[in-house]
Every structure is written in structure tokens, then in C-alpha cells.
Amino acid sequence: MRGRRALVGAWAVAAAAAVLVGFASSAGGAIRDDSAWLQAKLDAGGPIFLPRLPNGQCYATRGLWVSRDDTTVTSDGACIVALGPGEARIPRGDGTFVTANAVFFVDHSDLRKPLPVRIAISGLHITVPGSKRMHGISVLGHEVTLTRLTIDGSPLTDVRIGAGAKGSGGMSGRIALTDSTLSGGVRDVVSVFGPVGLRVEGNVLSGARSKSGAGLHIRAADRGQPTLDVQVTGNKVTANGGPGIFLDLAPANGLPVIASGIEIARNEILGNAREASEERRGGIVIAGRQNDGRGQIVVRENFFHGNRGPDVLRRQAHVAAVPVGPRSVPPQSTGAVRDDTAWLQRRLDANRNGTIFLPSLPNGECYATRGLWVSRDGTNITSDGACIVSLGLGPVRLHSIDGDPIAASAVFFVNRSTPSKPAPVHVTISNLRIVVPEGQSMYGVALFGHQITLSHLDISGSPKDDITISGRGNGNSYAGSISILDSTLSGAGRNAISATAVIGLRIERNTIVGVRDSPAGQPAAGIDLEPDDRGQPALDVRIIGNTISDNAGPGILLELESNAGLAVVATALEITGNTIVRNSAKRTPPKRGGIVLAGGQDGDQGTLVLKDNVIRGNGGPGILKSRLRLVLDSTGNDVSGNEAA
């Protein structure tokens, strides 16, 4: 993604687009109000052109919902003035509703619909009077281009992208802000939460009014909120109360899991931070970093003049050490049916950055437990080869965004167990045999946290998936930095590994066999990378050196087109050096082949490296391409001996 140019003009409106001349005003003409007809046009979607009005008149509107895909709003320089918040459309949990508190409020207006994509707004002059307490433009969708805009007055922020708070913060995917003049933000001029694929280029950002207000404030509000592939280049950032550029990577609940690929280059940083507090006093302020110290932040070739404080102020956050806890000693089993749930769950809940060692039991006996919540940072569950058998669902501790209860539906269910806490990080599970009996609809291991390593596991029986990976209920809507290594996965009814929302996944040197397609019609793949929603990322996924054989469906399935459309972010994918043989053994799964590649990243710019795999004896073709929308680098694959269709 780092080579991708800014999205300027990617969805430019054709010259033949209809010109809107039928604007309305209030009864008697005393106060102009164009809200109703503008909102009707936006709800219909498509290209909208706002011509300049005669005699310097401005359109006037309450906040406008921009919720339809492929909506473009362009102008030849017309001005538009904010009248106050617009309609309330999205219910909150407390019974109140979200209102359109920006002149253009880019968000879905129905919780059952996906966030809007491919939105472009250009060529307008937007003024927000301070008394209206509104933003200029608020962006909560993906693939949004803002260009050649002027925003002034006293907006809360000129442009606000994304959202986040402690314990909650997702991705803002592929946003471009270019060639605009933005000024006067009460808080910041531009504020960005959780960017993945952000371009801020060629803008003038000035006059943030508060002492802490930045010209550009890029932030991770929660440690799980990603900051990745960010380019801030060629801007003039001047006369802001706080720093010119504030790269805020130090959320209150710990250093970020993902904060890398960030470049701040060739900007003019002039006369900022005149009244800023000491911790925000500088031309560019960088607070925190990626929590493993490996994140890449490049600051180069910027010109500084007249800022208070140093040109670049770097603030480091404290990193706590990880102690090792005591080994567990299992109590003696009593009763006819063994059940270790209570003491194991107590141990996991009490664990503070330590190791839980489960010794092998005598006479081949297995631990037995209902689903266990693994919610503490730094938990290391390991053994000398003990087995553990599922007894069924564990307790409900979370609810999904739509209110559905979330129970511990895996032997180890790695997720936060209260909404006030962040998703757990630095969890390892190793050297165990996990068995899920038939009829339980349980997973072997479910991963909803970050920086998790599974190694030397043997998962068998009849799990729904041996391993499932997602962001459901974790506050970030993805799982990050996951490694599945040197394990044997077998017997799953749906897929051996299912990944629906992930940034940074390593699947290496595993043996993956015997997915059953139960009930019939499952993907039944050895590995299924398949976002449920187009806004869920499939980014930086490496599938290397595995043996994947004798599964009912494909050995590997990349299904990158959801019911709502192509994935917003699906790139940096690699499938290399795998042995993929005798898969698609049944005809009941919907797609058959050794490797099945379907869909891709919206805009055709996602990449897949597919090299040096042995793909033989599979039902269907060795490599099946279905509506493939990826840039494919494919060499050295042996695809002999597969069915032709």
C-alpha cells in the first residue's frame, strides 16, 4: 500500500453530471435553508454538482448524512454555511440518536447497512459559525477523497476522520485529504483516528484555536486502534495553538499494537505551539510508538520556522515489564464427570502477566472444561503435552454491537471480558492437545485479541473451526499480529482456520487435514480468509510452508468479496511454499479447487504473492480464480494432477 498514490480524482464526476439549480428557501425567504432538498439528493446517491450562486450567495444547510456508496459532491467553488446539526438517524444504546453534526456527515444511517465507500467531496467552501458547535466534514466511512476544499469559521474540527475512545477504536480505511485550505478548528484543524492507508498531501492547515489544538492530529485512542500506511507530505501547517503535527501513539491503556509505515515529509511547519503546554510544545510532536518497538516512523525533509519548542519533540511512554507467574497445580478430580472449568477460569482471571502450566495428567486422563475466557495481558498457557476436552459453552461476558450475547464458544476464548477493558495482548498457548467432541458447536481456540501466538497445538475431534480469528466484541473490529505455528489441526466441520478480520497473520509449518463439511455446504477449507463485511481488513497475511491435505473443500480459500462488495483493505497477501494435496474431496462445498481466489481489494490495487506451492490431486483446478481483483505475482507453482473443473 505504501506505493499507492493519493486518491485525488479517483471518483471524479463526469462533465455531463446534472447541475442542481432547484434550491429551496424557508417560508418568506427570511432565512435560507437548503437542508431538505440537499438531503434528498444525498439519500438518492450518485453525482451531485452544486454550482456557485449569483451575487456571492451561499447555500445554507443543517448537517447532511452522506450514506450512499459512490456519492460525489463537487462544485466550481460554491460556498455553503452550517445552520446546525441535522437529522438523528442512528440509535445509541442509551436510547438517544446520533445526529449529523457536520455539514457533510459520512456514515451509514442504518446500522444494518455497511459503512459507505467511494465517497468524494471537492471544490466547495464550507463555513461553520462557532455558535453551531459542528464539524466541517466528519468521515466514518472508507475510501473517501476530500480535495480542493476550503473550510473556515470556527468548526469543532475542520475535518474529523474516524472515532475512538479508551477500549474502543477501529480502522479508517483509505482516506485522502488533498489540496485544501482548512482553518479555525476549535479543537484541531484535522483529527484522524485509526488510519490505514491515509494520504494528507498539499494542504494548508492553520489556526487551530485551542492551546492544545494541532494542525493535524493523528491518534490511536485505544491500544488496539491501528495506525498504518500513513503519508503526510507537502503540507503547510501554520499558526496553530498546539503542535503543527501531533502523532499521538500513546493511548491511556498502553502502547499501540500496530503503528508503522508512517511518513511525515517535505512539510512546512511554521509558527505553531505558541501557547501549548510543555508536552505538546513543538513543530512536530510524536508521543509513543508501536509496542514492540518495531514500528517505522520516518520524519524527513520538513522545513521548520518560528515554532515554540523543538522542531521535533519525541515523547516516550513507559513500557511495563512482563513477570512470570507460578505454575498451576490442578486439584484432584472428584465425581463421575471431570470438570476443571471453575479453577481454570479463576486462574485465568487472576493471572497477571504470567505462565499457567498444565502438567500432563496420569494414565492419559484429560482436563475437561467449558469454554474459558482468556482476557489478561501476557497470559502464557503451556504444558508438557496435556490434553483438554471441551464440555461446551462457557459464560456470557460480552454482547455484540447489536446486543447479542457472546459466550466463551471455544476451549480458549481470547477476548476482553468487559467492554471497559481493551482486547488482551501478548497471549501464547502452546504444547496442548485440545479435543472438541461432536455436537457442541464449539471452536478449539477463538482469537479476538492482538499479538497472540499459538504453537505446537493438536486440535481435533469435531470443532466448528479448529481456530477462528475475528474482531467481534473486542472494540477494534479486527485481530492483529496473530501467529499459528507448528500445529496439527483436524476434524473441523466448517474450516480448520477461519479469519474474518485480521492485520498481520502468520500461518506457518502447520499440518491441516480432514475438514469435514458438516453440515453440508460449508466452505470446508483448510484456511479460509473471508471478511464478513467489506470494512473488515485482510492485510499482511502470510501462509507459508504448511501441509494442507484431504479436506472436503479447498486447501486455501481467499474469499475477499462480501455480500456488501469487495474488501476495502485486502493486500500484502502471500501464499508460499505450501503442499496442498487431495483437497476438495467432496462436491458439497460451494467452491472447489486446491487454492480458490475470489474477489480482492476494491480498486484493484491489492497484492498477492503466490509462489512455489505444490498443488496436486485436488478436486477442481489447482488454482481457481473467481472474479479475482488482486495484482497477482504467481511463479513456481506445481499444479499437475488436479481435476480440470
Side-chain angles (χ1 to χ4, degrees), residues 79-82 103 125-136 150-159 181-189 206-210 240:
C79 56
I80 187 166
V81 177
V103 174
H125 182 170
I126 298 170
T127 298
V128 182
S131 62
K132 304 307 177 184
R133 301 286 297 167
M134 292 177 64
H135 304 276
T150 298
I151 303 177
D152 58 18
S154 297
L156 296 177
T157 52
D158 293 73
V159 175
T181 300
L182 312 177
S183 63
V186 173
R187 298 171 184 169
D188 300 309
V189 176
S206 66
R209 297 178 185 276
S210 73
N240 295 286

Side-chain angles (χ1 to χ4, degrees), residues 28 94 142 161 199 220 294 300 445 450 476 502 545 584 594 624 639:
D94 61 2
H142 305 295
I161 299 168
R199 303 293 179 262
R294 298 179 181 178
R300 63 182 180 87
V445 181
H450 307 296
N476 306 127
V502 67
S584 290
L624 173 64
V639 292

Side-chain angles (χ1 to χ4, degrees), residues 64-419:
L64 298 165
W65 288 85
V66 183
S67 302
R68 292 291 296 268
D69 294 351
D70 300 298
T71 297
T72 61
V73 183
T74 62
S75 179
D76 55 359
C79 56
I80 187 166
V81 177
L83 297 177
E87 296 178 23
R89 290 190 171 184
I90 300 177
R92 298 187 181 95
D94 61 2
T96 62
F97 281 76
V98 175
T99 61
N101 68 339
V103 174
F104 292 102
F105 191 80
V106 183
D107 195 359
H108 57 189
S109 53
D110 182 341
L111 287 176
R112 294 168 292 184
K113 300 290 180 65
L115 292 171
V117 297
R118 298 183 300 275
I119 306 296
I121 303 173
S122 65
L124 282 163
H125 182 170
I126 298 170
T127 298
V128 182
S131 62
K132 304 307 177 184
R133 301 286 297 167
M134 292 177 64
H135 304 276
I137 297 176
S138 178
V139 176
L140 293 168
H142 305 295
E143 296 181 80
V144 177
T145 300
L146 308 176
T147 188
R148 294 183 291 104
L149 298 170
T150 298
I151 303 177
D152 58 18
S154 297
L156 296 177
T157 52
D158 293 73
V159 175
R160 180 186 64 177
I161 299 168
K166 181 181 176 181
S168 177
M171 173 189 79
S172 300
R174 299 172 61 193
I175 310 295
L177 171 62
T178 64
D179 301 313
S180 296
T181 300
L182 312 177
S183 63
V186 173
R187 298 171 184 169
D188 300 309
V189 176
V190 177
S191 179
V192 186
F193 292 84
V196 174
L198 173 69
R199 303 293 179 262
V200 181
E201 300 179 349
N203 305 286
V204 177
L205 310 176
S206 66
R209 297 178 185 276
S210 73
K211 293 181 180 180
S212 61
L216 173 63
H217 189 175
I218 299 172
R219 65 178 78 177
D222 177 78
R223 68 185 184 186
Q225 188 163 47
T227 304
L228 183 65
D229 183 25
V230 172
Q231 293 184 12
V232 180
T233 58
N235 304 281
K236 183 176 182 179
V237 189
T238 179
N240 295 286
I245 298 173
F246 185 14
L247 185 58
D248 189 356
L249 305 177
N253 54 16
L255 290 173
V257 172
I258 295 174
S260 191
I262 301 165
E263 182 180 33
I264 303 173
R266 300 184 302 281
N267 302 283
E268 294 181 68
I269 314 293
L270 311 172
N272 300 285
R274 290 293 188 179
E275 300 181 23
S277 58
E278 185 175 357
E279 65 273 12
R280 296 194 181 190
R281 193 177 298 157
I284 297 174
V285 176
I286 301 173
R289 56 176 172 78
Q290 185 168 294
N291 68 5
D292 62 3
R294 298 179 181 178
Q296 296 182 345
I297 302 173
V298 175
V299 180
R300 63 182 180 87
E301 300 177 40
N302 299 286
F303 175 74
F304 299 90
H305 179 73
N307 303 287
R308 190 178 181 205
D311 291 345
V312 180
L313 173 63
R314 295 180 180 268
R315 291 166 33 200
Q316 298 299 326
H318 174 70
V319 182
V322 179
V324 176
R327 291 188 171 194
S328 292
V329 179
Q332 292 294 320
S333 177
T334 60
V337 178
R338 184 179 185 107
D339 188 344
D340 297 285
T341 307
W343 73 268
L344 278 171
Q345 189 62 72
R346 284 196 301 270
R347 183 71 178 88
L348 288 164
D349 289 342
N351 188 60
R352 295 182 182 275
N353 295 314
T355 296
I356 297 174
F357 183 86
L358 298 176
S360 294
L361 298 176
N363 305 316
E365 188 176 6
C366 293
Y367 298 93
T369 182
R370 295 193 171 275
L372 297 166
W373 288 84
V374 182
S375 302
R376 291 281 195 173
D377 294 351
T379 298
N380 175 23
I381 304 166
T382 191
S383 177
D384 54 1
C387 59
I388 186 165
V389 176
S390 170
L391 296 176
L393 292 173
V396 171
R397 291 188 174 183
L398 287 176
H399 288 79
S400 67
I401 193 170
D402 52 5
D404 290 339
I406 299 176
S409 56
V411 173
F412 294 107
F413 192 84
V414 185
N415 201 345
R416 61 181 183 176
S417 54
T418 175

Side-chain angles (χ1 to χ4, degrees), residues 540-593:
D540 186 21
V541 176
R542 316 288 177 186
I543 302 172
I544 300 173
N546 303 279
T547 298
I548 307 172
S549 66
D550 302 293
N551 298 291
I556 298 173
L557 171 60
L558 303 190
E559 186 66 74
L560 302 176
E561 184 172 12
S562 72
N563 291 335
L566 295 167
V568 170
V569 174
T571 191
L573 311 174
E574 179 181 353
I575 302 172
T576 302
N578 302 281
T579 299
I580 302 169
V581 295
R582 300 185 304 277
N583 298 286
S584 290
K586 291 186 177 181
R587 293 192 174 273
T588 47
K591 293 183 178 178
R592 304 180 70 240

Side-chain angles (χ1 to χ4, degrees), residues 443-445 447 454 459 465-469 484 489 495-498:
Y443 305 101
V445 181
L447 304 179
L454 308 181
I459 304 177
D465 299 330
D466 293 281
I467 299 169
T468 192
I469 306 164
I484 303 170
L489 312 177
N495 300 301
I497 299 174
S498 291

